[in-house]
Amino acid sequence: IDDKAVVADSHLALTGTISEIRGTDALQVRSLAVTGNASSEGDVVASQGDIAVSGNLQLVTKLVESGDPEPETLVSAHQGALDVNGNVSTSAGGRLRLEARDVAIGGTAADGTALAGAITSRGDVQIGFADAGVEQTQTVRVNSIDTRGASGAEGGDVAVAASGDVVIGAIATGGGSAGSSSRPPLDGGSVTVRAGEASTLAIGAIATGGGIDTGNGTIDLSAGTVRLEGPLDATGGSISNADGERDRAVHVQGEILLAANSLSIAGGDVHLDGAIAGAEVVPATDPPTTRRVDLSIAASGETRLGSSADLRSLSISSSGDSVVLGGDVVADRSIEIAFEGPG
């Protein structure tokens, strides 16, 4: 499509190996259905219905010269769903905004294996939109998000918000190389994911790489129930980080269910503000079986468990500050708390 005015305000259906939407001006349609892969050089906006792509969606973004503002690409279906069966990527980075009532990237096989569903961008990724301060996005499902920076660039931030359930497989936001093996990588992007107060956030591994700026490389998760399916890591690595000065905060708010036999959380301040327990084993057993979990926490700042914890074992390694237990802690095997370093 070269002349977008011809298809403007239509219910547009495209079929082909790849459908190319050319020109940096926005494609403005009522709905968009693409059978095959799609690429767009500009924003894609559906005013009335869904945006559906059966393959991959690539946003062709311009290279950013030094001093130029960061480009931004919008894919918007405020009255419908954004459903991409394949992957979503930007060619040269920049901020990527995905706004729809429901966002689904990738699929899931019958055995639960993730099928495609990767968002890859050398810039910030924002999923969800609000109107008058009220969250309009209802659900989000994405198999992975990768905003790791190229050499000489910081990692991109990831911000996801929905009023209902959110499911994300894994997130990586580490910064790129600083150009020397003796220097630490550049700062990683921060990760903020929020689901509704009565909803569930299920999330896999998160690794940010930390950062020297306290506002970079943090992890902040909140929902009525937060289901952790992989490790959370906001540490800054071993180079120029002897005292944890590059480690950043990890904050989880809501009832916390651990969905792995062993799970680790590492950062600067580590605050887990909700009752902690193992999740029910999947596939379900009869009667249901609750997973017994080995939880390890490594913090160079304050460690805070805001409520109770019911585990197989708990290990806390603090190299910088206090350990605060805000409720009963019960473990089948052991509870170990170690303070490392001077003082």
Side-chain angles (χ1 to χ4, degrees), residues 15 32 105 144 154 158 164 183 203 215 230 237 245 255 270 273 289 307 313 323 334 342:
T15 300
L32 174 65
I105 311 297
S144 68
E154 295 184 351
V158 172
R183 298 174 61 189
I203 197 159
E245 54 266 42
E255 179 189 13
V270 175
D273 291 331
T289 303
S307 186
S313 70
V323 173
S334 63

Side-chain angles (χ1 to χ4, degrees), residues 81-181:
L82 171 61
D83 189 351
V84 179
N85 286 346
N87 303 312
V88 176
S89 62
T90 59
S91 62
R95 179 188 296 272
L96 173 61
R97 290 166 48 205
L98 305 179
E99 301 182 353
R101 294 285 182 178
D102 296 283
V103 177
I105 311 297
T108 305
D111 63 357
T113 304
L115 300 175
I119 297 176
T120 306
S121 181
R122 299 295 189 190
D124 299 345
V125 170
Q126 176 184 321
I127 303 176
F129 74 102
D131 184 8
V134 178
E135 188 58 53
Q136 300 299 307
T137 297
Q138 297 170 359
T139 63
V140 173
R141 177 177 54 79
V142 179
N143 287 337
S144 68
I145 302 175
D146 185 346
T147 62
R148 288 176 292 181
S151 180
E154 295 184 351
D157 294 337
V158 172
V160 180
S163 61
D165 293 343
V166 174
V167 179
I168 302 176
I171 300 176
T173 65
S177 168
S180 169
S181 60

